[in-house]
Amino acid sequence: MPAPDLLIRGARVHTMDPDRPAATAVAVRGDRIAAVGDDREVCALAGRRTEVVDGRGLTVTPGLVDSHQHPVLALSQGSGVDLTGIEDLAGLRRALRAHCADLPSDAWVVGFGAEYPAFAPGTPRREHIDEAVGGRPALLSMIDAHNALMSGEGLRRAGITGPVGFADHSEIDVDADGRPTGYLREMSAVLLARRAVPAMDAEAAARGLRRVLREQNAVGLTGLHVLDLMPDTARTLASLSERDELTSRVLLAPWALPGQVGETLETVRELRARQGRLWRTAAVKFLLDGTIDGGAAWLHHPDCHGEGTRPLWRDPEAYRDAVRAVAELGLPSFTHAIGDRAVSYTLDTYASASAPVRGRHRIEHAELVADADVPRFAALDVVASMHPTHMDWTRPDHSDHWSERVGRERRTRAWRYGDVVAAGGRVALGSDWPVAGFDPRQVMAAARLRRPAGQRGRGPVGPEQALTPVQALAGYTSWAAYGTGEEAVAGLVRENARADLTVFAGDPLTTPADDLPELPVVLTVVDGRIVHRAE
C-alpha cells in the first residue's frame, strides 16, 4: 500500500463519526483519508516522502462548509461603501459624501448594508441620497440584500421611469404621480436595476473569487454553497477549475425566480454537464417570500405595520409545481422562507414532492417557525439552513427594527435552531455572506451565545435556543454534508472519506464561545491539498 502524502499525529481529532468519535492521528493519501486512529497505528504507515505534522496542541475537525453564500454578489460590492451600522440619515449622507470625494463625476456609487432605521419613519427615497452622491448614479443595497435604493441618475440610466410588471410581487416603488421613488422592493426589481451597473470583467471576477476563497480557507472553510446565479458565476467557477485554482468545494444552487423556472431548469441541466472536480450544480433555490425588515416575509398574521400578508409568488401553487419539477430532475430544492407562513407552506410543499435522488430539501433562513412546524423538519427529513449572525441586529430589549416588526408575541418563535435540533432535525449553518461575515468561527460562536461574540456585556436573545459546541460544529460539518446527500464521504473524518480538514491551534469545542473567533486556523486541507498554512 502506498505511503500517505500527509500525516498529522499527536493531535485531538473530532471525527464527527459516531463509530469513532475521537482519534489522535489522521493520514491522507491523494484526495482521500487513508487512516484514522491512534499515533502508533497511523504513524506506522508513513514513508520517506510523507509530510508529518506534529499535532501537539492542535485539533483536527472535518473541513468546515458554509451552507449559504453569495460570493460574486459580494465581489460586485467590493469597491463600494459599507453602510452597515449607520442608523441615521445624516450619518449615511456623510459616509456617501466621503466615499464620493475622489470619484469621477459620472462614476457609479455602489453601497451595501444600508439600515432601514436611517430612513425612518418612511421608506427610502432617491431624495435621501441624490445630493450626497453629487448627482451620480447610485445603487445602495439594504441590509437584507433584498431591497435597494437608487438615485435619480441611477434610475435614468437603468431606464426605470415608472411601475414595472414583474412575474412576482417585486415592485418599483412609485409616488402618487407614478414617478419612481428610487426604492426597489425585492429581487426581481433589484436585479433589473443591477443591469445598469457596469459588471466586472471575467478576469477581474476570477482574480477576486480566487482571493476570496483563499481568505475563506484561512479561517477554516473548505467548501461553500452558492445560492444564486449572479452573472458570470458559472463561467468564473469553470475558469478557476480549468486552471486548477479552486481551493474550496463549491456547490451551486441557481435561483429560479417566478416566471423564469423553465429557463432556470434548462440552465441547471447544462451546468450539471459542465461541473468540475471541485464544483457542481446540485440544487435549485427558490424565494417564497422576502424579509421581515422589508415587510415582505409571508406571515400567518400581518406584522406590526400591517404587512407580510402574501408570498413573493403571485401564484404559490406555481411554486409547488416548480419544486416537483426540480425533484423530477433528482435534485433537492433550497427554499428561502423567512416568515412562519412561508415555512409552513414550504414544508407542505416538500411533503407533496418526491424526495431528491441525492441530498435533502432545505429551508433557508426559517427566521420564524410556528410551534406545529418545529417537529416537521425531522419528520419530513428537511434540513434547516440557518444563519445565527443575522441575529446580531436584534437587541435584548427588542428595540431593533426586526423585533418591532414581528411584535411581542412572535419574538419567542425566532431563530429556533435549538428547538429544531431538540426535535431530531438537522441545522446546516452558514453566513449568507455578504449579508454577514463569512468567518465560521463567528457564526459558531453566535449559535452558542445568541449574541455577537466578544460583546460580553450584551444579553442574549432567546438563550434557550442556543446550540452546544458539538451541535455548532455539526452545523458546519456533518449536518451540512447531510443536507447535500454527502454524509457518507464528507462532514466526518473516516477512512475513504474526502480529505477535507480544518486544523485549529486549540479545541473549538472547549474554547469559550467569546474567544472562538480568535482561535487560529493553522492548516486547511481541501481534496488532499494544503490550501492554507499559518506562518
Side-chain angles (χ1 to χ4, degrees):
M1 179 183 296
D5 305 303
L6 173 68
L7 193 152
I8 304 171
R9 61 175 175 81
R12 176 182 287 108
V13 183
H14 296 308
T15 67
M16 307 305 285
D17 179 359
D19 294 333
R20 183 190 290 175
T24 61
V26 181
V28 171
R29 182 187 304 112
D31 62 356
R32 297 283 162 167
I33 293 172
V36 182
D38 62 34
D39 287 1
R40 181 185 56 80
E41 59 185 343
V42 175
C43 289
L45 303 175
R48 288 185 304 165
R49 297 184 179 180
T50 301
E51 177 179 356
V52 179
V53 174
D54 183 351
R56 285 176 294 180
L58 306 183
T59 300
V60 181
T61 72
L64 305 183
V65 174
D66 188 322
S67 290
H68 193 125
Q69 280 196 20
H70 305 282
V72 176
L73 171 63
L75 288 172
S76 71
Q77 300 176 347
S79 60
V81 53
D82 185 355
L83 303 171
T84 305
I86 302 174
E87 296 191 352
D88 64 284
L89 189 56
L92 182 137
R93 286 170 170 165
R94 282 195 300 271
L96 290 174
R97 289 190 191 102
H99 177 71
C100 293
D102 299 321
L103 289 181
S105 60
D106 63 344
W108 272 89
V109 179
V110 176
F112 57 94
E115 304 267 8
Y116 288 93
F119 305 97
T123 56
R125 295 180 60 91
R126 64 181 186 276
E127 292 88 352
H128 288 136
I129 63 170
D130 278 347
E131 183 275 330
V133 300
R136 294 175 177 85
L139 181 64
L140 311 183
S141 294
M142 302 302 294
I143 190 68
D144 55 19
H146 272 244
N147 305 292
L149 176 61
M150 215 169 197
S151 67
E153 177 60 15
L155 291 168
R156 189 190 68 80
R157 295 199 187 187
I160 299 174
T161 59
V164 174
F166 295 106
D168 57 19
H169 281 125
S170 297
E171 294 177 343
I172 304 295
D173 197 48
V174 296
D175 53 26
D177 62 4
R179 296 180 59 214
T181 67
Y183 188 45
L184 312 170
R185 299 178 186 267
E186 288 305 321
M187 293 307 301
S188 293
V190 174
L191 291 173
L192 173 65
R194 281 189 174 278
R195 295 176 192 169
V197 182
M200 290 184 296
D201 64 63
E203 189 55 38
R207 286 196 306 270
L209 185 56
R210 182 172 60 238
R211 170 183 55 78
V212 163
L213 293 180
R214 291 289 188 182
E215 291 172 356
Q216 295 191 6
N217 296 150
V219 295
L221 286 174
T222 64
L224 61 150
H225 301 169
V226 179
L227 273 64
D228 62 53
L229 194 59
M230 295 296 292
D232 296 328
T233 296
R235 184 172 69 177
T236 302
L237 289 171
S239 174
L240 292 182
S241 180
E242 289 164 3
R243 303 179 199 177
D244 199 23
E245 293 177 346
L246 270 182
T247 58
S248 284
R249 296 187 191 275
V250 179
L251 183 148
L252 186 60
W255 52 23
L257 300 178
Q260 301 176 15
V261 173
E263 177 184 340
T264 300
L265 296 189
E266 186 57 38
T267 299
V268 167
R269 292 185 185 94
E270 295 173 1
L271 289 175
R272 292 177 78 186
R274 292 174 52 195
Q275 63 189 28
R277 183 170 59 88
L278 291 179
W279 75 280
R280 67 188 181 98
T281 300
V284 174
K285 180 189 178 183
F286 295 102
L287 291 92
L288 185 56
D289 68 349
T291 65
I292 297 288
D293 288 294
W298 193 17
L299 306 170
H300 282 297
H301 305 286
D303 68 18
C304 294
H305 292 196
E307 297 183 307
T309 59
R310 65 188 186 185
L312 188 61
W313 289 64
R314 294 185 181 277
D315 176 10
E317 189 60 36
Y319 157 75
R320 287 189 167 168
D321 291 340
V323 169
R324 294 182 186 113
V326 171
E328 288 174 2
L329 294 179
L331 298 178
S333 292
F334 296 172
T335 299
H336 166 118
I338 282 181
D340 49 10
R341 188 170 181 188
V343 171
S344 298
Y345 196 89
T346 302
L347 290 169
D348 290 344
T349 299
Y350 289 164
S352 69
S354 303
V357 173
R358 181 180 183 185
R360 276 86 185 176
H361 296 306
R362 286 191 349 198
I363 293 183
E364 308 300 314
H365 308 295
E367 290 183 10
L368 290 175
V369 179
D371 291 343
D373 286 331
V374 170
R376 298 181 71 200
F377 284 88
L380 295 173
D381 201 20
V382 172
V383 172
S385 172
M386 302 183 72
H387 317 106
T389 45
H390 283 200
M391 292 185 64
D392 289 358
W393 288 277
T394 58
R395 299 175 183 142
D397 63 0
H398 304 298
S399 62
D400 58 280
H401 187 261
W402 190 96
S403 298
E404 186 273 329
R405 275 272 190 179
V406 301
R408 181 186 303 273
E409 190 270 333
R410 274 185 292 232
R411 293 172 194 157
T412 59
R413 301 200 299 272
W415 286 285
R416 302 179 71 173
Y417 39 77
D419 283 345
V420 170
V421 172
R426 294 172 174 85
V427 176
L429 296 180
S431 64
D432 198 16
W433 185 63
V435 175
F438 57 63
D439 192 328
R441 299 168 300 179
Q442 292 179 335
V443 179
M444 288 189 289
R448 293 161 55 178
L449 293 167
R450 299 286 289 193
R451 61 165 172 79
Q455 297 186 23
R456 290 175 169 84
R458 177 170 167 173
V461 177
E464 70 281 357
Q465 295 294 339
L467 296 183
T468 67
V470 172
Q471 290 168 346
L473 180 60
Y476 267 92
T477 56
S478 55
W479 290 344
Y482 186 85
T484 56
E486 299 171 305
E487 65 271 20
V489 295
L492 76 174
V493 182
R494 176 192 288 169
E495 285 86 352
N496 296 318
R498 292 173 179 166
D500 298 345
L501 303 169
T502 302
V503 183
F504 295 92
D507 190 345
L509 300 188
T510 60
T511 297
D514 277 304
D515 300 328
L516 186 58
E518 305 305 319
L519 182 64
V521 175
V522 299
L523 207 68
T524 306
V525 179
V526 176
D527 205 42
R529 297 188 297 179
I530 296 174
V531 295
H532 163 74
R533 191 194 302 264
E535 295 181 2

